[in-house]
Amino acid sequence: MRGGQAWMIRRIRSGTVIEESAFPVAPNVRPRRGRRRGGTTARKQDANDRNCVRRFARVLNCNFEPGDLLLQPTWDDAALYALAEGLQDGDLEELRERAEHALSLFLRRLGRELKKSGIELRAVWLTSDMDGDTGEVVRIHHHVIVKAEGLRMEDGELWAGSRRMDEIWGRGRVDWKPLQHQEDYSQLAAYLMRQVRRRPDARKYSCTRNLKKPVLISERIVWRVRELKVPKGGKLLHRDAWEPGMPQYIRYTAPAKTAKEARRE
C-alpha cells in the first residue's frame, strides 16, 4: 500500500461557476460516481455553516439570473398579532413554524396562479427572525427568490396572473427587487443565510423540486497535492486562505467553452 496522506480533489459546477477543493481523506475512500446530491448531516451543519452557504449559492447559480426577483413577504401588525395568538412571549419556534406554514400556503397560491398561464413555479425560500449583523431577534419575515416568468409590473404593483402579489400573500406587503447581474451569487447567499437562526436538525432554506442541481464534474484521489489553480480562460472569484499541507478551496468562473455547455443544460 502506498504510504503518506491521501487527498481528495473535487470539482463541482453550478451554472457557470466552478468550485474546486482539496482535502485529506482516508486511503480507502473512493470517489463517488454520478451527480452530487443535496443534503447534509446535522454534524456537518453544526461543524461548518459555510457549507450551507455554499450549497445555497449553488442553487442560486444553477437556477437564477439577472431580472429574476427577490421577494420579501412581510407581516403587518394585525396579521402578526393573529399569528402569535395563544403563544407565550419568546416562543420563537412555534411562531416560526406558523409563519413557515403561512409561507407555504402563499407559494401554493402563487404556483396555482402561474399555472393558469402554463408556467411552473420555480423558487427557493427561507424565513428570517434574526438580524444578520447583531444576532438580535427581529420581526419575522421571509425571502423568496423566484423566476420572473409570469410576473409583471402594472401601475406600480407586482402581479402574477390576474392577482396582485400583495393579495396573494394576504398578510401584509410583499417588497421585491430584481436580481442584479453577478458572476456568482455567493455574496447574496451569505447575506441571506446570516439572517437565519441556526436550529438543530432543521434546514435553513427550501426550494421547489424542479430546480437544476449542481453537477459533480470529478473526484479523484491523489497522494501529493499542489496549490489549486484556475484553468486558462477562467476567472478567480474566491480563494480560502491556504498554506501547504492544509485543505484548499477556490471558486472561479468556468472557461468560455465550459460556460457555454452549462448554459445549454
Side-chain angles (χ1 to χ4, degrees), residues 160-212:
S162 60
R163 301 180 67 187
R164 292 183 301 108
M165 192 66 69
D166 289 355
E167 176 191 353
I168 298 173
W169 169 234
R171 290 171 171 85
R173 186 179 67 254
V174 179
D175 297 328
W176 64 275
K177 60 182 178 181
L179 298 186
Q180 302 301 310
H181 174 72
Q182 296 180 24
E183 295 174 306
D184 172 23
Y185 285 113
S186 291
Q187 287 188 345
L188 175 60
Y191 168 75
L192 295 176
M193 286 291 103
R194 284 200 304 270
Q195 301 177 52
V196 182
R197 181 165 41 86
R198 290 185 61 196
R199 298 180 299 159
D201 304 316
R203 288 181 60 87
K204 285 191 170 185
Y205 66 91
S206 300
C207 52
T208 54
R209 296 181 179 180
N210 54 356
L211 298 186
K212 297 177 182 177

Side-chain angles (χ1 to χ4, degrees), residues 213-224:
K213 303 291 193 301
V215 175
L216 176 63
I217 300 174
S218 64
E219 281 187 334
R220 58 192 177 94
I221 301 294
V222 299
W223 295 91
R224 184 178 180 184

Side-chain angles (χ1 to χ4, degrees), residues 59 63-64 68-71 73 102-125 143-151 158-161 165 168 174 206-213:
V59 173
N63 294 279
F64 299 97
D68 291 333
L69 300 181
L70 171 59
L71 310 179
L103 180 64
S104 69
L105 296 179
F106 161 68
L107 292 168
R108 289 182 191 177
R109 293 192 294 270
L110 177 57
R112 286 197 296 267
E113 201 61 40
L114 291 173
K115 193 173 182 179
K116 294 176 184 177
S117 301
I119 298 169
E120 191 174 25
L121 175 67
R122 288 184 287 166
V124 59
W125 60 92
H143 298 283
V144 181
I145 300 177
V146 62
K147 297 296 292 182
E149 186 181 10
L151 306 181
L158 183 63
W159 291 69
M165 192 66 69
I168 298 173
V174 179
S206 300
C207 52
T208 54
R209 296 181 179 180
N210 54 356
L211 298 186
K212 297 177 182 177
K213 303 291 193 301

Side-chain angles (χ1 to χ4, degrees), residues 38-153:
T40 184
T41 66
R43 180 180 63 82
K44 288 181 181 177
Q45 194 171 28
D46 291 340
N48 196 343
D49 278 347
R50 288 184 306 174
N51 289 336
C52 184
V53 173
R54 289 172 184 171
R55 288 191 299 273
F56 187 44
R58 289 170 196 151
V59 173
L60 302 187
N61 287 330
C62 281
N63 294 279
F64 299 97
E65 59 190 0
D68 291 333
L69 300 181
L70 171 59
L71 310 179
Q72 183 175 305
T74 60
W75 293 79
D76 62 27
D77 291 342
L80 188 60
Y81 180 82
L83 184 72
E85 186 174 5
L87 297 182
Q88 299 293 324
D89 290 342
D91 192 350
L92 298 179
E93 287 303 313
E94 179 62 28
L95 184 69
R96 184 189 179 100
E97 288 183 10
R98 292 183 181 185
E100 290 181 336
H101 177 67
L103 180 64
S104 69
L105 296 179
F106 161 68
L107 292 168
R108 289 182 191 177
R109 293 192 294 270
L110 177 57
R112 286 197 296 267
E113 201 61 40
L114 291 173
K115 193 173 182 179
K116 294 176 184 177
S117 301
I119 298 169
E120 191 174 25
L121 175 67
R122 288 184 287 166
V124 59
W125 60 92
L126 53 87
T127 295
S128 173
D129 57 7
M130 184 181 77
D131 185 292
D133 295 321
T134 67
E136 296 177 351
V137 175
V138 298
R139 191 185 189 98
I140 199 163
H141 60 282
H142 312 277
H143 298 283
V144 181
I145 300 177
V146 62
K147 297 296 292 182
E149 186 181 10
L151 306 181
R152 71 184 190 282
M153 280 295 299

Side-chain angles (χ1 to χ4, degrees), residues 11 16 18 20 227-236 239 250 252-260:
R11 289 195 299 155
T16 59
I18 294 180
E20 192 164 349
E227 183 178 4
L228 299 178
K229 301 289 187 181
V230 177
K232 184 178 180 180
K235 176 184 175 182
L236 181 65
R239 180 188 294 275
I250 62 173
Y252 54 89
T253 58
K257 182 179 179 180
T258 305
K260 188 175 181 180

